[in-house]
Amino acid sequence: MTSHSDPRALGAFLRVRRAQLDPLECGLPETDSARKVTGLRREEVARLAAISVDYYTRLEQGRVRASAPVLTTLARALRLDDDQQKYLYELAGRTDVHPRRRPVQRVRPAMRRLLAQLTHTPALVLGKRLDILAWNPAAAALYTDFAAVPAGRRNYLRLMFTDPAIRAMHREWAHDARDAVAALRMEAAADPDDPDLARLVGELTIQDTDFRTWWAEHRVNSATYGTKHYHHPLVGDLTLDCDTWAGSDGSGQRLMVLTAEPGSPSHDALRILTSWTAERVEPGQAKDRTP
């Protein structure tokens, strides 16, 4: 059964909690102007939770009852621990509803072996939300040392928008980034209540005007192949075919492989790049994560 809600207490808790958070730790950009409030602003919480500012304002004012999906995204946006989440649900009168536990994303052993055998071919295993679950040395040589990226930040779309080096190496960044946003839109339709997806969208909406514009377009893209044009700081220009294969196990994981036409300058440059770094970079895998 649903317990009695306390909208005023819920609003007070939301206000106190957002005041306790560090904007930088929540992925918000630095600004030159002094902040008029401690912690996060209302509009920042709303964007991180992928809800409207008006709806969040009414929640804080105790004028609307929060749905279970909204509570889940708010818990993520406000970085609540287990006890705080339980308290949030009790204040909202939703003790009968619990966040759905999502299966852990695990890369199959056969996929790991395949990555290790692709010695001169950059390859990534992408999970839900375009999380980077595993990679081979060639992919690390092409993009970045993924092992040095915190596991919670290891996301293909996030890196395209927030990592200056990866962003700069895309010669057609706007085209590639917009396609990636459209691919994420497809995932949003399949699992609209995913709180981690809501947090990713909220973070990038705040940080990047282009993302905010492209996300609002509701453009979708399920293309499994294309061409990428890069400028790598070590070997120069690369034109690579990008193919993506979906796993047959229903996990939503995809193998992304980048290849060059044999005998082409890009093929030679790719082999040089991977040979330079193969001895220094080991195959990598992110820790198993919820999708």
Side-chain angles (χ1 to χ4, degrees):
M1 294 179 62
T2 301
S3 64
H4 178 68
S5 63
D6 190 345
R8 291 185 179 181
L10 174 63
F13 176 63
L14 293 175
R15 290 192 297 273
V16 169
R17 180 55 188 165
R18 68 178 170 88
Q20 296 171 339
L21 295 176
D22 184 335
L24 295 181
E25 291 182 358
C26 293
L28 301 175
E30 293 188 64
T31 60
D32 295 331
S33 60
R35 298 179 70 88
K36 296 180 180 180
V37 297
T38 303
L40 305 186
R41 304 183 183 97
R42 281 178 175 172
E43 58 267 27
E44 291 170 337
V45 175
R47 287 177 179 173
L48 287 172
I51 59 178
S52 72
V53 178
D54 177 68
Y55 183 78
Y56 178 74
T57 299
R58 285 184 287 147
L59 276 176
E60 281 202 358
Q61 294 173 345
R63 295 191 292 121
V64 66
R65 185 166 183 256
S67 66
V70 166
L71 291 173
T72 301
T73 59
L74 280 174
R76 294 281 181 167
L78 294 172
R79 304 196 169 198
L80 303 184
D81 60 26
D82 290 342
D83 288 340
Q84 290 171 326
Q85 288 188 48
K86 181 179 178 181
Y87 183 61
L88 176 75
Y89 275 75
E90 288 177 347
L91 292 178
R94 302 304 300 257
T95 54
D96 60 325
V97 182
H98 301 281
R100 178 166 60 92
R101 296 185 64 85
R102 297 167 186 270
V104 173
Q105 295 189 98
R106 301 184 187 278
V107 181
R108 292 187 298 115
M111 188 75 80
R112 298 191 194 117
R113 291 195 296 270
L114 178 58
L115 284 177
Q117 293 171 13
L118 295 172
T119 55
H120 293 287
T121 304
L124 302 167
V125 176
L126 301 176
K128 296 196 174 184
R129 301 177 304 275
L130 305 182
D131 288 336
I132 299 172
L133 304 181
W135 60 92
N136 65 356
L142 176 63
Y143 289 110
T144 189
D145 180 8
F146 293 112
V149 179
R153 309 289 298 172
R154 208 177 286 144
N155 176 277
Y156 184 79
L157 187 66
R158 179 184 280 113
L159 291 176
M160 283 195 71
F161 277 90
T162 65
D163 187 296
I166 291 180
R167 183 166 180 151
M169 70 177 285
H170 284 78
R171 289 157 54 197
E172 298 180 355
W173 178 85
H175 174 273
D176 295 343
R178 189 165 179 253
D179 277 352
V181 171
L184 190 68
R185 259 293 178 193
M186 291 288 291
E187 292 210 16
D191 192 1
D193 296 329
D194 180 357
D196 288 325
L197 176 63
R199 182 169 62 177
L200 174 65
V201 171
E203 173 189 327
L204 294 180
T205 295
I206 291 174
Q207 291 185 342
D208 195 279
T209 302
D210 287 327
F211 178 87
R212 183 162 59 250
T213 299
W214 296 333
W215 186 256
E217 291 177 346
H218 285 262
R219 177 174 173 263
V220 294
N221 180 17
S222 61
T224 58
Y225 63 91
T227 303
K228 302 289 188 184
H229 302 278
Y230 298 122
H231 180 79
H232 196 277
L234 295 180
V235 297
D237 290 347
L238 294 165
T239 298
L240 304 177
D241 291 319
C242 180
D243 292 271
T244 306
W245 289 273
S248 58
D249 58 356
S251 66
Q253 295 177 14
R254 287 145 291 177
L255 177 65
M256 175 176 147
V257 179
L258 296 134
T259 58
E261 182 70 25
S264 67
S266 293
H267 181 265
D268 296 338
L270 190 59
R271 291 186 69 87
I272 292 171
L273 176 64
T274 54
S275 66
W276 282 348
T277 57
E279 296 181 358
R280 294 181 294 160
V281 183
E282 296 297 328
Q285 178 186 343
K287 292 182 180 179
D288 292 326
R289 302 171 56 191
T290 53

